[in-house]
Amino acid sequence: MESKLGEMMSSAADVSPSNSDTGSIGSTSGYDTARIEQVKAWLSSQFNAVGRQVPDFQYTSSNVAHLHNIVLLSQARTRASSIVADDLRIKAAEYRSQAVRVREILDSVGLSQERLPPLAVGSTQVIATVANLLSIRDTELSSFMVAMGDLMLRKEDVKEKRTKLIKESKELLEYTRKAIAKLNDLKKTLLKFENEVPAHEAHMNQWESNLITMDSKERQYVLQHSNYKALLNLVGYVPNINHGVLIKLAEHRKDLEKKTKPIMDTLRSYQDLPPDKALAALAIEDKKRQYAAAENYLEDVLHSALTTQK
């Protein structure tokens, strides 16, 4: 009783607000006076029952409401307990009257407890104890057999549950062992990584310096590429003039040189012309015209090849 009252008082104190929100009954208005008086009367009755005084505390709206709910719950449980107690007292009186009638019947047939041998009395008490343990109301053999059957079924059910629990316990134990092993592995891995941190930090610092260098080189190469591109644009380079085009033009030039070589050889042969100057001059002029025509043809071919590639 003392522990219950202490718990109720502590719970009421827990729900009480700060001092700025609290006040005594005489100084605070708006409280339900009847409810407060009911709470005070109930607290006095409960503490007086255990020989203690009601401790001083401030009655606020929150803790009064909380205590009033406890009072209503306590009164409801008290009424329920009184009803149950009255019913049990009635049943006890009925059982006592039945015991008196059974004793009178046993005395009339000569089977009273005083007349039975001690062994029979002990056996009867054992039977009564077993009947109480099996929760049966009579000592018929059929009732004992039914109760023993129910007990065996419950025993088998408990046995199955126990086997299942043992199996689950073993599985949990195995899982726990694996988890512990995994945890140890993770700890070792963590320790390994922690030991490797300085070396990796050194590598990271080196990579960071290399990245800085590469970044500066990239800017330098981009600038150089822009300069080269501007220079190529200045000299008239176009993307169409690539390595393949140049190779084709070189091969075509060789073909033209092969075609012009006989003409050049003929012109050189005129160095050994006869003394007739007039014939020699005519021959020279003819060869010059042929050479000029070959040069013009070469220029036209080169110009048409470049135009086709564009």
Side-chain angles (χ1 to χ4, degrees):
M1 177 67 73
E2 293 182 0
S3 61
K4 291 182 180 179
L5 291 175
E7 291 176 358
M8 288 187 288
M9 294 304 298
S10 62
S11 61
D14 290 338
V15 299
S16 60
S18 59
N19 292 331
S20 60
D21 298 333
T22 59
S24 60
I25 299 175
S27 61
T28 305
S29 61
Y31 288 161
D32 191 349
T33 307
R35 182 176 294 183
I36 294 174
E37 294 298 330
Q38 185 179 3
V39 169
K40 291 176 66 177
W42 181 79
L43 289 175
S44 300
S45 63
Q46 297 298 320
F47 277 92
N48 291 334
V50 295
R52 294 177 58 185
Q53 294 182 353
V54 179
D56 295 332
F57 68 98
Q58 293 178 337
Y59 291 87
T60 63
S61 57
S62 57
N63 58 21
V64 167
H66 185 67
L67 287 173
H68 187 262
N69 292 332
I70 295 175
V71 170
L72 297 178
L73 181 62
S74 176
Q75 290 176 350
R77 290 183 177 179
T78 300
R79 288 192 295 270
S81 300
S82 299
I83 294 171
V84 173
D86 294 338
D87 184 62
L88 292 176
R89 281 193 290 269
I90 293 173
K91 289 182 178 180
E94 292 178 356
Y95 291 154
R96 282 193 294 269
S97 62
Q98 289 180 2
V100 172
R101 288 195 298 270
V102 170
R103 189 178 297 109
E104 291 176 353
I105 294 172
L106 292 175
D107 289 338
S108 63
V109 296
L111 295 177
S112 61
Q113 183 176 356
E114 292 80 6
R115 296 181 181 180
L116 292 175
L119 182 60
V121 174
S123 300
T124 305
Q125 291 178 351
V126 170
I127 293 173
T129 303
V130 173
N132 290 328
L133 292 174
L134 295 177
S135 299
I136 57 179
R137 296 185 177 182
D138 54 54
T139 56
E140 294 290 336
L141 181 60
S142 59
S143 300
F144 277 99
M145 294 300 294
V146 172
M148 289 298 295
D150 293 338
L151 185 61
M152 292 300 295
L153 292 176
R154 279 185 282 177
K155 178 183 177 183
E156 292 297 328
D157 187 22
V158 171
K159 186 177 180 180
E160 291 179 0
K161 291 181 179 179
R162 182 174 178 273
T163 304
K164 183 178 179 180
L165 289 174
I166 292 173
K167 182 179 179 181
E168 292 177 354
S169 299
K170 290 181 179 179
E171 292 177 355
L172 291 175
L173 181 61
E174 185 65 23
Y175 291 154
T176 304
R177 289 175 180 173
K178 292 180 180 179
I180 292 173
K182 188 66 175 179
L183 178 61
N184 294 331
D185 293 339
L186 291 175
K187 287 182 178 179
K188 292 179 181 178
T189 305
L190 177 61
L191 182 61
K192 179 182 177 182
F193 288 159
E194 288 178 350
N195 294 331
E196 292 177 355
V197 165
H200 288 295
E201 286 181 349
H203 288 299
M204 289 295 295
N205 294 331
Q206 183 179 0
W207 292 342
E208 185 176 359
S209 61
N210 293 337
L211 287 175
I212 295 173
T213 305
M214 292 175 66
D215 185 58
S216 62
K217 288 291 184 182
E218 180 186 3
R219 290 194 295 269
Q220 179 183 354
Y221 294 153
V222 170
L223 181 60
Q224 290 179 357
H225 179 268
S226 301
N227 294 334
Y228 291 150
K229 188 175 181 180
L231 181 60
L232 291 174
N233 292 330
L234 184 62
V235 299
Y237 171 79
V238 292
N240 294 329
I241 303 177
N242 51 31
H243 183 67
V245 174
L246 293 176
I247 290 176
K248 290 181 180 180
L249 291 175
E251 292 176 351
H252 191 64
R253 182 176 177 275
K254 289 181 180 179
D255 294 337
L256 293 176
E257 287 178 351
K258 289 179 181 180
K259 293 179 181 180
T260 57
K261 185 177 179 181
I263 299 173
M264 293 298 294
D265 292 339
T266 303
L267 290 174
R268 290 190 188 96
S269 67
Y270 284 132
Q271 295 177 358
D272 301 330
L273 290 174
D276 190 354
K277 293 182 179 180
L279 294 175
L282 292 174
I284 290 171
E285 289 296 331
D286 184 51
K287 295 299 181 183
K288 284 183 178 180
R289 285 194 298 270
Q290 292 179 3
Y291 183 73
E295 285 184 348
N296 292 331
Y297 177 73
L298 176 61
E299 289 179 356
D300 292 338
V301 170
L302 291 174
H303 186 268
S304 64
L306 291 174
T307 305
T308 303
Q309 291 297 326
K310 290 181 180 181

